[in-house]
Each structure stands twice: as structure tokens, then as C-alpha cells.
């Protein structure tokens, strides 16, 4: 049984064909000029989030995420309790 599985897997892997016959070489030297144009100037602090942030908006976002997560977990637990008959 193990031998037949191994033979079947080898045959399946051997029969796979790539989607195209073109070479798949992606070189940095081919796109270096385009990438350099998109980079920030030297010395720029490249942070993802840059302050100032609005405290009420941040607080609402954090509270919303926490409440949504708690609500989903509670609903899942409640559903299982009723489904399995622990709660009536």
C-alpha cells in the first residue's frame, strides 16, 4: 500500500507542467531604475504611521475592535453551549 502510494505520488509530480515555457528570471538590474524613483529621499524617516493622531478616533477604534472581538467570542461560546445542551 505504501509502495503504490509512493508510485502514484511520483507519477503525479512527474506529470505536472508549468504554466508557461518562458524563463522565470526576475532580476533587480532590470527594474532598478524604476524602483529607485519610488523610494523616499535619503534622510527621510520612513514611518508607517505619522502623528498626530486624534485621541477620540483612536480610542473609538480600539474600543470598537475589543468589543467586536469579545462579542464574537461570546456569541460563539453561547452558541456552542446551547447547541450542546449545557444551557437551555
Amino acid at each position: 500500500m505504501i509502495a503504490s502510494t509512493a508510485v502514484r505520488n511520483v507519477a503525479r509530480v512527474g506529470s505536472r507542467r508549468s504554466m508557461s515555457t518562458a524563463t522565470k528570471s526576475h532580476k533587480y538590474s532590470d527594474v532598478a531604475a524604476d524602483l529607485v524613483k519610488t523610494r523616499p529621499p535619503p534622510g527621510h524617516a520612513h514611518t508607517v504611521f505619522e502623528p498626530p493622531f486624534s485621541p477620540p478616533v483612536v480610542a473609538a477604534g480600539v474600543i470598537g475592535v475589543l468589543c467586536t472581538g469579545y462579542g464574537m467570542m461570546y456569541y460563539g461560546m453561547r452558541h456552542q453551549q446551547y447547541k450542546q445542551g449545557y444551557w437551555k
Side-chain angles (χ1 to χ4, degrees):
M1 175 157 169
I2 293 174
S4 64
T5 302
V7 170
R8 185 173 61 242
N9 288 340
V10 168
R12 185 178 64 219
V13 169
S15 67
R16 286 187 192 154
R17 292 181 298 219
S18 62
M19 296 299 288
S20 69
T21 57
T23 59
K24 294 176 177 53
S25 61
H26 304 284
K27 296 180 182 171
Y28 174 76
S29 60
D30 297 338
V31 295
D34 294 331
L35 288 174
V36 169
K37 292 177 192 172
T38 63
R39 293 186 178 153
H44 172 70
H46 191 69
T47 55
V48 177
F49 298 107
E50 297 182 11
F53 300 113
S54 172
V57 172
V58 171
V62 169
I63 290 170
V65 167
L66 291 175
C67 290
T68 301
Y70 179 82
M72 289 192 316
M73 295 306 292
Y74 178 79
Y75 175 76
M77 186 261 317
R78 179 182 173 274
H79 171 73
Q80 288 297 325
Q81 293 294 337
Y82 278 111
K83 179 179 145 187
Q84 295 170 3
Y86 295 113
W87 292 357
K88 303 265 186 233

